[in-house]
């Protein structure tokens, strides 16, 4: 069913808890994110899910389910079957699990729909290719272009101040991987119309960008592979600790030098990705 024993165990635990709390509620369960894209890293990756119900589920029931799950790295959104064939921009908000908590007003975006349609792993219910899942390449591209500024440009601006949470995070492994592969993923989507993983985004960046940027991209790929180098975001913000040290030697002499390139690369990718969107046929 899933590509890693740890994922199987997490999914089985979730379904057991959900079926105990609300028998028959979860009719479909699909995996997206790194689990579906073949880039799952135990200890570093969350298991991203889409749970499908017939009607809007009672929030109190979902809350009980996720309280029982506790800090399980199982993050995702609750949708109805009807939601799957609708434009997510028309849906408003949906219950979303993140960081061990359930948000009644979680956001949705077209990345989820396209990942589910193209790569979704079925844990329960019909396979994605048996469903009518909304698909609009133009809407996906527009959302991706907007996210470059709404999320990533703002993050880079905050991280440019060293004495800030993201400024410190970008000194560590977590920040380097998050920023380098995050902006590269959006560039890949605007270049190809498809969805890729963090590792896939890094490999794309090595092809799409000049050698000037290969050091920081290869560093991010190294850190992505060395799972033990990637603490949680909370741990990354709390202090540097040994975040710069990893099982394989860094390509940089210092975390400050690496941080400089991480932020400069992000700026370059954002500009390049905007140009891709501007040039695409409307």
């Amino acid at each position: 069913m899933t590509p890693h024993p740890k994922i199987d165990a997490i999914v089985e635990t979730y379904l057991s808890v959900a079926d105990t709390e609300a028998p028959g509620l979860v009719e479909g369960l699909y995996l997206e994110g790194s689990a579906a894209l073949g880039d799952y890293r135990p200890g570093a990756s969350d298991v991203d899910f889409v749970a499908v119900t017939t009607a809007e589920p009672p929030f109190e029931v979902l809350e009980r389910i996720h309280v029982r799950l506790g800090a399980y790295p199982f993050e995702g959104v609750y949708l109805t079957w009807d939601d799957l064939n609708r434009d997510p921009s028309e849906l408003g908000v949906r219950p979303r699990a993140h960081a061990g908590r359930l948000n009644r007003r979680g956001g949705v975006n077209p990345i989820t729909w396209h990942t589910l349609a193209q790569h979704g792993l079925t844990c329960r219910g019909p396979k994605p290719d048996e469903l009518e899942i909304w698909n609009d390449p133009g809407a996906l591209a527009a959302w991706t272009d907007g996210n470059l500024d709404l999320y990533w440009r703002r993050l880079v601006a905050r991280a440019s101040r060293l004495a800030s949470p993201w400024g410190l995070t970008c000194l560590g492994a977590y920040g380097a991987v998050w920023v380098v592969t995050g902006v590269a993923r959006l560039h890949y989507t605007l270049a190809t119309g498809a969805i890729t993983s963090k590792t896939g985004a890094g490999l794309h960046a090595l092809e799409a960008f000049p050698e000037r940027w290969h050091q920081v991209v290869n560093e991010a790929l190294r850190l992505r592979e060395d799972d033990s180098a990637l603490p949680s975001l909370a741990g990354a913000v709390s202090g540097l600790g040994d975040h710069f040290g990893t099982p394989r030697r860094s390509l940089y002499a210092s975390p400050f030098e690496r941080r400089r390139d991480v932020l400069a690369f992000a700026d370059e990718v954002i500009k390049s990705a905007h140009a891709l969107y501007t040039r695409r046929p409307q």
Side-chain angles (χ1 to χ4, degrees), residues 14-219:
Y14 167 78
L15 287 175
S16 176
V17 171
D19 290 346
T20 299
E21 288 289 343
L25 177 67
V26 178
E27 297 180 351
L29 182 66
Y30 305 91
L31 301 185
E32 55 153 347
S34 60
L37 295 166
D39 196 28
Y40 178 75
R41 299 288 192 274
S45 299
D46 296 315
V47 177
D48 299 295
F49 74 88
V50 175
V52 188
T53 60
T54 295
E56 183 177 344
F59 183 78
E60 295 74 16
V61 173
L62 300 184
E63 199 167 38
R64 288 202 303 271
I65 292 171
H66 287 275
V67 166
R68 286 186 59 183
L69 285 176
Y72 257 60
F74 197 61
E75 307 203 346
V77 65
Y78 287 85
L79 303 173
T80 67
W81 295 113
D82 181 59
D83 288 341
L84 293 180
N85 56 43
R86 295 177 59 193
D87 183 340
S89 68
E90 300 174 353
L91 298 182
V93 295
R94 291 292 184 269
R96 178 175 287 276
H98 174 66
R101 302 185 65 180
L102 190 69
N103 181 2
R104 184 189 298 269
R105 300 179 59 79
V108 293
N109 65 69
I111 296 289
T112 297
W113 273 249
H114 284 78
T115 305
L116 180 59
Q118 297 171 14
H119 305 284
L121 292 179
T122 305
C123 303
R124 173 180 288 179
K127 295 181 179 179
D129 59 10
E130 298 171 355
L131 299 168
E132 292 185 11
I133 300 176
W134 173 88
N135 177 66
D136 186 333
L140 174 64
W143 182 89
T144 301
D145 183 68
N147 189 251
L148 289 166
D149 291 329
L150 289 174
Y151 179 79
W152 291 104
R153 179 67 74 188
R154 293 178 180 179
L155 186 153
V156 170
R158 293 196 297 270
S160 67
R161 299 185 296 275
L162 180 58
S164 69
W166 269 109
L168 294 174
T169 298
C170 285
L171 283 172
Y174 181 96
V177 174
W178 181 256
V179 174
V180 170
T181 64
V183 292
R185 290 179 84 174
L186 298 192
H187 190 279
Y188 176 90
T189 294
L190 288 171
T192 68
I195 309 295
T196 193
S197 66
K198 290 183 174 68
T199 300
L203 296 175
H204 164 73
L206 291 176
E207 294 289 333
F209 290 90
E211 188 174 355
R212 155 72 178 90
W213 303 110
H214 288 189
Q215 182 181 7
V216 73
V217 174
N218 279 318
E219 175 76 345

